[in-house]
Amino acid sequence: MTSGKRVLIVSNRLPVKITRKDGEIAYQTSEGGLATGLGSIYKQGNNLWIGWPGADLTDAEKAGVTQDLSVQNLFPVFLTQQEINDYYEGFSNETLWPLFHYFPTYTEYNPQYWEGYQKVNRKFADAIIKSASKEDVVWIHDYQLMLVPQMVREAIPEVSIGFFQHIPFPSYEVFRLIPWRKELLNGLLGADVIGFHTYDDVRHFISAANRITGLNNVANEVGVDSRTVVVDAFPISIDYKKYRSLAEDANTRRNERKLRQLINHNKLIISIDRLDYSKGIIDRLRAYQLFLENHPELRGKVSMIQLVVPSRDNVPKYKELKEEMNRMVSEINGRFSTLGWQPIQHFYRSFPIHLLSALYKAADVALVTPMRDGMNLVSKEFIASKTDQHGVLILSEMAGASRELSEAIIINPNDVWDFSEKIFLALNMPEDEQRRRMSAMQQTVSRFDIFNWVKNFMDKLTEVKAQQQAMLTRNINTSIRQKIAISYYYGMKRIIFLDYDGTLVPFNKNLLGAVPDEPLLDLLKKLSADPHNKVVITSGRDYQTLDKWLGHLPVDIIAEHGAWYKDHGKFWRSRRDLNDAWKQEIYSVMNQYARRTPGAAIEEKSYSLAWHYRKVENGLGDLRAQELTADMKHLVADRGLQLLQGDKVIEVKSISVNKGRAAKRWLEKEEYDFVMAIGDDPTDEDTFKVMPEGAITIKVGSKISAAAYFLSTSEEVRALLLEMINSPHTVDEAHQLLKEAS
Ligand code: GDG
């Protein structure tokens, strides 16, 4: 363990590539955008980048490499060939990559790959754990390391962890296909901030977390135990200035002239991708072919330069793709070429960056049309390189970049006919329109560049950590528990308001299943047996049920949010000013929804109606509740009623009835020197708000509340009450505890 706050970047690959030249180890630094953006972080002070150096090394070489890399703030995780096969080639590239890009039929579910994935994730986690301390920030990158956040969290619970996924996060319907979906989600949820490129990825992740792990969220915050995990969109970008100055460089300009000569000063269409089925290479060729068929007048006047960077072409799926691509290129060239013209110049290799920049600069039209892509940086590099603002971008709506670059011509890559017509449109776009669109996109890309991306992510991580720490001070820990127990001990006249469902007992899918158990009855008996105590149960339930369950105890009860109440030993009383004439009408609306929503139920109380949907299919219940709310809005407002959203229930009742108003009856009648209120539901907020200064208010579950403190579960509530009852019996003991607590 090292002390002092550091930032640790973690990714599958280090930003250097190890090569061997004449048996000697050589290092080639990555020029990629991510390495540039993160350079401002990992090169500082004691910061570190942890990753695989990308070569199979002997033990003797490993020591030397570790030493060499440490000078550059890099730390290698060495992998064996078997680990690379199972974790990287296998689980990462044959399972996660195809599935997350919506190619479920290409996806392999191989337990051996999964084993390897877990093992290597553990290796990465161990490397982090060895060098990180609890003050540090760990930023983990991409789908190869989805289990690492949780592994690190378990070892160093306080550490700040960010995770960013560079590829899409698929819809729940696709994600659920993986046998190990739950483990993957739990792995990610070890992070404090989980970042994706787009809002769609964010909502897919949250929906998968809701359905698969049963966790709840409020907007983009998911509650995991007592921690809040923020899921957000951070669209990645490029080093805009670098691409701009590259485009103006003399070397680039020379290459640009050569390119123009190569294509006889025709209109130039470019396409640049790695060989991958997600990139839409075949459909793009189809669209170009159709364009040439439908626009014979443009044959001989347009050329396409297609650059495909080699990738995994020994793997069958990629080999097939390459063969199909080659077949189509020859078919198009064979069919349309003339003696002086060839429709496609095809390159299956990598270009040096100056040539790449020249391609961007010279192009009239860029085709960036993947079937699915997390972001796609080629589209942004093309825009940055257009110093004269000439040129048109045709962009697939399936690329994350399409969410930001709305001035591009957006296409669906599967609609080949429309795509081919958009090529024609792009080639004929007036110059002023090209400039207008390009200028708008340049503003976007220059403002939101890679440095801005890094800053946004890091700022969010800092903000979330600070929020968590602020929350922590409101989480009831040992010292707060002791303080409560002591002030309870000193209280001579105490009042304790306790909500029932979700506070004293956990939620039950059956409305009438939440019967109080023996330990609870015993606890309430003890609490109310003390002559200094007044215990008030504050519930939204009907008074008959509460009477049956708790009526025999020496407690006061508020039922139906205050429409009914009962002092211990007296009869139930209801508020005289209430009427129930509205119920029939509201009931019939609720019933229409209950009839078409399996699992929904209406609970009828004297002065309120509740529509319960805890047993309804996840998601459908919320949808129906929203519809029902919208439908009843005007009915409710006209009749002096109020619509309350509780936990999986919506309730309609008189606007003048609420737990706070009911609780006031007790507070106004007598003076108390110890006041406590505990509740879990939005309706308990009314109680918290009327409590006098100095009252101990506690919210159970979610952390958005007017209450002063938080507890997570009803078991914790019971434990706290027990501790109060068993609080010190002598003043000396109390003093001793008070001293310890402060
Ligand atoms: C993942 C996600 C997401 C291409 N050909 C040559 C060359 N390139 C460079 C481009 C660009 C990069 O490769 C490809 O950009 P991607 O956006 O596809 O990035 P990846 O890292 O492959 O993919 C993707 C990205 O992560 C970032 O989060 O956008 O969706 O799949 O920079 O310029 N570079 C050189 N010669 C070439 O021939 N020098």
Side-chain angles (χ1 to χ4, degrees), residues 124-176:
F124 272 82
D126 287 345
I128 300 168
I129 294 161
K130 223 162 72 188
S131 34
S133 68
K134 63 180 187 185
E135 299 83 27
D136 292 347
V137 174
V138 181
W139 188 2
I140 300 158
H141 288 262
D142 230 359
Y143 63 104
Q144 299 92 352
L145 303 175
M146 292 172 81
L147 303 176
V148 176
Q150 179 59 22
M151 292 173 171
V152 177
R153 173 73 53 213
E154 275 165 11
I156 318 174
E158 305 89 344
V159 73
S160 190
I161 306 176
F163 180 92
F164 186 81
Q165 179 154 306
H166 292 259
I167 65 171
F169 194 91
S171 131
Y172 159 72
E173 286 301 336
V174 170
F175 182 72
R176 74 195 294 205

Side-chain angles (χ1 to χ4, degrees), residues 48 148 202 296 353 359 532 646 737:
L48 208 57
V148 176
V202 170
I353 194 134
L359 258 186
H532 300 289
L737 276 177

